[in-house]
C-alpha cells in the first residue's frame, strides 16, 4: 500500500492511528505498537476545560458562596482586594472575572481541577471535557448551576432507562 511504501522509504516517519479496540495485526507488513491513552490528569483536564469555555470564569464559578470567594480573594490580594475590583457590587455577586495572573494560575487550575464538575462528569476524557466546556457560555449563571443541570439530566436519563427496562414488553402484549 502507499502508506506502507512511505513508511518503508523513510527512517524517522511515525504515524499515529487510533482505534477503540486493541489491534494485534501488523499494518502493511510493519510492526504496530499498542499504546493505551489514559484520561488526563485533573490539572491537565482543568487546563483543557479553561481553554475551551466560551466566557470568562468568575469567582462564583469556583467558589460557591460569598464567604468562600471573599476568603480566597483576601488570601490573594490582602487589603488590596478593593483596589482590584472597580465595581464593588461585583464582590457581592461573585461576578468578578478570574484573571490568570502568573502567580495565581496554579491556584485557579487546582481549584478548577478539584471541582466535582470535572471529576464527576468529565473524568479526564478530552471529548467530555470539550462537550462540558461548550456549555459554559454567557447565558450560564455559574459552573455550579451547570453541575446541577448535568446531575438532573443524568437522573432523568437513568429514570427513563429504568422505566424502559421495567415496562411490559409490547411483544408479549400482542400475543
Amino acid at each position: 500500500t502507499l502508506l506502507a511504501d512511505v513508511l518503508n522509504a523513510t527512517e524517522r516517519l511515525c504515524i499515529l492511528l487510533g482505534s477503540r479496540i486493541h489491534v494485534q495485526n501488523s499494518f502493511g507488513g510493519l510492526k504496530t505498537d499498542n499504546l493505551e491513552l489514559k484520561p488526563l490528569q485533573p490539572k491537565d483536564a482543568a487546563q483543557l476545560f479553561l481553554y475551551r469555555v466560551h466566557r470568562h470564569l468568575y469567582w462564583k464559578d469556583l467558589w460557591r458562596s460569598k464567604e468562600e470567594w471573599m476568603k480566597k480573594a483576601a488570601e490573594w490580594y490582602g487589603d488590596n482586594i478593593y483596589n482590584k475590583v472597580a465595581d464593588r457590587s461585583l464582590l457581592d455577586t461573585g461576578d468578578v472575572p478570574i484573571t490568570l495572573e502568573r502567580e495565581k494560575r496554579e491556584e485557579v487550575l487546582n481549584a478548577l481541577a478539584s471541582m466535582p464538575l470535572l471529576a464527576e462528569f468529565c473524568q479526564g476524557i478530552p471529548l467530555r471535557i470539550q462537550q462540558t466546556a461548550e456549555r459554559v457560555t454567557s447565558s450560564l449563571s455559574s459552573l455550579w448551576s451547570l453541575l446541577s443541570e448535568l446531575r438532573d439530566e443524568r437522573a432523568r436519563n437513568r429514570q427513563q432507562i429504568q422505566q424502559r427496562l421495567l415496562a411490559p414488553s409490547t411483544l408479549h402484549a400482542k400475543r
Side-chain angles (χ1 to χ4, degrees):
T1 67
L2 176 64
L3 193 52
D5 292 341
V6 170
L7 286 169
N8 283 326
T10 61
E11 291 183 27
R12 296 200 179 265
L13 178 65
C14 296
I15 296 180
L16 175 67
L17 300 173
S19 173
R20 292 179 184 202
I21 59 170
H22 184 80
V23 178
Q24 296 183 7
N25 301 10
S26 295
F27 181 74
L30 300 170
K31 180 183 179 286
T32 59
D33 289 327
N34 288 288
L35 303 172
E36 180 182 355
L37 294 178
K38 300 199 183 291
L40 297 175
Q41 293 298 313
K43 203 167 181 179
D44 296 325
Q47 177 66 52
L48 178 59
F49 182 82
L50 197 56
Y51 179 73
R52 301 299 303 220
V53 294
H54 293 280
R55 68 162 171 80
H56 288 289
L57 293 187
Y58 300 96
W59 289 0
K60 67 181 179 180
D61 285 317
L62 296 184
W63 301 286
R64 224 176 204 159
S65 68
K66 179 181 178 184
E67 180 180 279
E68 287 178 298
W69 67 66
M70 290 301 287
K71 179 182 175 192
K72 184 52 76 173
E75 287 174 19
W76 283 2
Y77 305 115
D79 294 334
N80 293 331
I81 185 172
Y82 295 102
N83 297 334
K84 293 282 186 181
V85 180
D87 181 356
R88 293 190 180 175
S89 69
L90 298 177
L91 292 172
D92 292 328
T93 61
D95 289 312
V96 178
I98 293 175
T99 57
L100 292 175
E101 300 163 0
R102 190 172 294 183
E103 63 274 3
K104 306 293 181 247
R105 184 174 184 76
E106 291 299 309
E107 286 187 66
V108 170
L109 288 175
N110 287 336
L112 190 55
S114 67
M115 289 189 71
L117 178 68
L118 291 178
E120 194 174 322
F121 287 96
C122 300
Q123 301 169 330
I125 299 170
L127 179 61
R128 290 184 189 167
I129 295 167
Q130 176 188 347
Q131 290 170 336
T132 304
E134 294 285 325
R135 295 178 68 164
V136 181
T137 63
S138 58
S139 64
L140 181 70
S141 64
S142 76
L143 295 182
W144 298 103
S145 62
L146 177 58
L147 177 63
S148 293
E149 287 174 23
L150 290 170
R151 285 178 173 165
D152 290 346
E153 286 174 19
R154 181 177 60 196
R156 280 192 305 276
N157 290 339
R158 285 180 176 166
Q159 187 177 28
Q160 289 173 351
I161 290 169
Q162 189 175 27
Q163 287 173 346
R164 282 189 226 135
L165 290 173
L166 297 176
S169 172
T170 55
L171 181 63
H172 296 294
K174 290 181 180 179
R175 289 185 183 174

